[in-house]
Amino acid sequence: MSNLLTEIGKYTTLSIDTFTPDDAAPFPTIEFVNATSNQGIAFAIWKHNPSLIGTALAHLQSKGVVPSLDETFVQEIIFYATAFAGNDMLKLISGRVLAQVDPADSYNTEKVVAYALRLSSAFEDIGIPKDKFIIKIPVTYEAMLAAEILTTKHGIACLGTVVHSLVQAVLATEAKCKYISPYVDELKYALDPSTYVALPSVDANYGYVMTKEIQNYFWYHKCPTKVCIAALVGLDICLGLSGVDEMTIPPLTAKMLQDLPVPAGFEPGVSKETVVEVEKKSYIGDKDAYYAALDKIPEAKARIDFTLNTFNNFNDESKAFIKSLLLKEGVA
Ligand SMILES: O=C[C@H](O)COP(=O)(O)O
């Protein structure tokens, strides 16, 4: 039977905002193409399924790696537990699994490259080829230099994430990101969708207006980068942005859309037929111009800082949780 989720899926690629296979169970007839993770989702996975940490530990031990509480070993556990979780999700989706670099490295090109290569190695080591995963990289000037290196020199597909402005989107497509993820609703709602409070109109939603601006720019200038919207919670926003290239939908929002009928006369909120002319911009090769442009958007800067801090906190919690498991198992 037709419902709002399948209807939106006619116009927009649907992906799911989870790495927990149980979350995909309520949608047996929906084809989610990609499945995503970040440090918040990762922490939830370890808590939900701590056996993934044990699987990662056993794999590393089988390769002769000696367990310890050192930062390097705990990080290796995160790489492999992420890869094994991704492997489970790949059984339920037709596309790729996505995993994010350490947000603490976001302003350091070399560190982003090194982290992404180690994470990619873990995926490939357990049999997940390069065309089945994507590395998510927060869009800063420094990190986009890393994305370009990873794409062109290593053949690793990248998604520019934590996008809160057209300025970042322009840089990410110039850096050859395969996707970008504009954040639509406030991150606090994405982390706990049950607390969502809709604004009086979608036009009052910063992320909604920005996402339409970015999609229009990418379509008008025929950018090869796809817009894969994230931090999407509100039903009104999902309807308003239906028609974008791709949506990563949290399970709770997907369930609500699946339970709703299609309104009479439904039309997607965004369409290539209504694209308007927009001036082309360029920031690659001009770090000062990029940060000067971003400085003019305090809302974007505040949201980027808040998001990176939030993910850093989840990463710290993950590491503390993994250390406590290693101690409990008596292996470190
Ligand atoms: O869970 C948080 C948000 O949806 C952030 O987007 P993401 O899942 O693509 O990282």
Side-chain angles (χ1 to χ4, degrees):
M1 204 176 96
S2 194
N3 61 64
L4 256 184
L5 188 59
T6 51
E7 186 67 14
I8 291 173
K10 291 178 186 169
Y11 306 97
T12 289
T13 298
L14 299 179
S15 292
I16 191 154
D17 203 6
T18 183
F19 248 35
T20 302
D22 291 351
D23 287 343
F27 311 101
T29 60
I30 300 292
E31 187 198 321
F32 289 113
V33 174
N34 299 315
T36 201
S37 66
N38 56 44
Q39 279 71 25
I41 290 172
F43 182 55
I45 312 167
W46 320 143
K47 301 279 275 192
H48 179 79
N49 185 9
S51 70
L52 284 165
I53 305 298
T55 306
L57 174 64
H59 184 82
L60 285 164
Q61 286 178 306
S62 76
K63 291 163 72 78
V65 183
V66 179
S68 76
L69 296 181
D70 287 355
E71 185 72 13
T72 309
F73 185 77
V74 172
Q75 190 56 64
E76 283 299 316
I77 291 277
I78 290 178
F79 290 139
Y80 276 95
T82 302
F84 282 115
N87 204 35
D88 290 343
M89 284 309 289
L90 280 171
K91 294 168 191 151
L92 301 170
I93 58 171
S94 58
R96 303 181 187 225
V97 285
L98 286 73
Q100 191 157 285
V101 297
D102 187 338
D105 295 340
S106 296
Y107 292 92
N108 184 314
T109 305
E110 289 73 24
K111 284 187 175 178
V112 172
V113 170
Y115 190 102
L117 290 179
R118 286 171 67 200
L119 179 54
S120 301
S121 293
F123 276 118
E124 294 187 87
D125 184 34
I126 68 157
I128 302 176
K130 279 198 176 81
D131 63 359
K132 294 304 280 183
F133 67 86
I134 292 176
I135 303 297
K136 295 169 71 176
I137 302 177
V139 178
T140 68
Y141 191 84
E142 295 81 353
M144 287 300 97
L145 295 184
E148 190 166 20
I149 292 167
L150 290 162
T151 305
T152 56
K153 291 197 178 156
H154 300 281
I156 293 171
C158 297
L159 176 148
T161 191
V162 194
V163 170
H164 292 285
S165 61
L166 176 63
V167 173
Q168 291 170 282
V170 168
L171 178 68
T173 190
E174 292 187 288
K176 302 183 175 54
C177 284
K178 187 175 180 68
Y179 291 94
I180 58 149
S181 279
Y183 276 39
V184 181
D185 285 307
E186 288 183 56
L187 184 62
K188 64 181 181 184
Y189 295 135
L191 297 172
D192 185 359
S194 66
T195 61
Y196 186 74
V197 180
L199 293 166
S201 93
V202 287
D203 290 319
N205 182 310
Y206 174 91
Y208 168 85
V209 174
M210 171 198 68
T211 299
K212 286 184 87 165
E213 186 185 23
I214 292 172
Q215 183 69 86
N216 182 76
Y217 183 97
F218 277 21
W219 279 342
Y220 182 78
H221 290 294
K222 299 190 170 39
C223 302
T225 306
K226 297 282 180 213
V227 173
C228 173
I229 54 181
L232 180 68
V233 183
L235 301 183
D236 53 344
I237 300 293
C238 292
L239 291 180
L241 291 177
S242 57
V244 296
D245 294 329
E246 183 166 336
M247 285 181 176
T248 303
I249 307 186
L252 183 64
T253 302
K255 185 75 182 69
M256 287 194 278
L257 289 170
Q258 187 174 246
D259 291 342
L260 288 170
V262 182
F266 175 83
E267 293 283 343
V270 179
S271 164
K272 278 186 181 162
E273 286 167 23
T274 54
V275 163
V276 295
E277 183 178 351
V278 55
E279 184 192 346
K280 188 144 193 176
K281 297 182 188 305
S282 175
Y283 299 108
I284 202 94
D286 195 345
K287 183 175 171 180
D288 290 346
Y290 171 76
Y291 280 116
L294 203 55
D295 276 345
K296 291 182 186 152
I297 322 168
E299 177 85 42
K301 290 181 67 180
R303 285 178 183 234
I304 294 165
D305 288 349
F306 177 76
T307 304
L308 294 179
N309 282 336
T310 302
F311 287 148
N312 274 326
N313 291 339
F314 276 121
N315 208 25
D316 289 346
E317 288 196 70
S318 272
K319 287 179 183 172
F321 181 68
I322 290 166
K323 284 180 188 172
S324 73
L325 286 183
L326 293 173
L327 281 170
K328 200 166 129 197
E329 295 299 317
V331 290

